[in-house]
Amino acid sequence: MPNHCEMDTTQMVRMAAGDPGGGERVLFIEDSPTLAQLLEVSLLQAGYQVVKATSGEEGLELARAEPPELLLCDVMLPGIDGFEVVRQLRRELTTANMSIIMLTAMANVMEGLDAGADDYVLKPYDHRELLARVRSVLRRAKAMRALSPLTGLPGNTRIQEELARAITGQRQFALLYADLDHFKAYNDHYGFARGDDILRLAARLLHGAVQATARPDAFVGHVGGDDFVAITAEEAAKAVVEDLIERFDGEVPSLYDPEDAQRGWIEVENRRRQIERFPLVSISVGVASTATRRFSHYAEAVATATEMKSQAKQQPGSAWAVDRRVG
């Protein structure tokens, strides 16, 4: 909590700048009191809400408690350094898509970008340049990333952007398209609130399975409803899908009432007003990979993965299918 002096300073800066304090929330981690004060004043004058930390551990705690729109992170920090802060935030579902700018020296620019930073500012930095980069990163994030309020994952615009980038960059990748089976029956039986729990479970498990590959270019998105996608290294696709299915099938029974989970099915009235039995929710995954072909457009990769997903859904329970056609 800020003390009374800090609150007074904040209020005076906002009054002088004519800012009501409604801008984006920026968290910065800086252990130098002098630099921290200058940075805070600059951000407040520019209209941002400011949260500050003086160590990597404190910054992680604040970011996890209430993820900001942007993190400004110094590299040299007491305790864990800025690189490790960024790596940890990128591995966690609620903070994986946070915008991050690193305050760094020329010698470690590439290390910061490899850790997952979106941009960097060289120290000692000009505050006008810093604010310009802050505006640029936030503007780009707003345009590219419409996050699902339910899962916290990027939506269709960012999914298309990531796929297009992988294709134009001629990367070797696998596109995973995941869909839940019997989800509507679960929603009808238990209600939308509990249905949301299954969607959050699927998002968390898919994100965890992809992040376990430790690839900085791996990506997870929420198409909408019960559809999810992931982009990962082609050689990692099999391990990611098998891990996802094993964990999903292991955890989903806990979201049913005990008697339903033990029985293995629920009864729901269908559109013909007949009682129908539905098995527990499962997950089907279709995989399109550059292992055997090249894609010229993101829609081509999506269509292939969707076709494989339809094949997987023909099998009982959780399953996956991969496109092995050549050409």
Side-chain angles (χ1 to χ4, degrees), residues 172 288-295 300 304 323-327:
Q172 303 294 306
S289 170
T290 57
T292 57
R293 64 162 64 189
R294 292 292 178 267
F295 302 104
E300 184 184 356
T304 302
D323 178 48
R324 302 189 187 280
R325 293 169 295 186
V326 178

Side-chain angles (χ1 to χ4, degrees), residues 196-257:
D196 288 348
D197 290 337
I198 286 193
L199 295 179
R200 281 189 283 263
L201 172 68
R204 175 172 60 83
L205 295 180
L206 178 58
H207 185 273
V210 170
Q211 288 298 310
T213 65
R215 287 288 296 262
D217 55 354
F219 172 82
V220 179
H222 186 181
V223 177
D226 58 341
D227 289 4
F228 300 87
V229 299
I231 304 171
T232 188
E234 61 181 30
E235 66 272 14
K238 182 176 185 291
V240 169
V241 177
E242 290 180 345
D243 180 47
L244 169 65
I245 288 176
E246 180 181 0
R247 292 180 183 275
F248 187 86
D249 287 349
E251 293 195 33
V252 81
S254 67
L255 299 182
Y256 283 78
D257 290 347

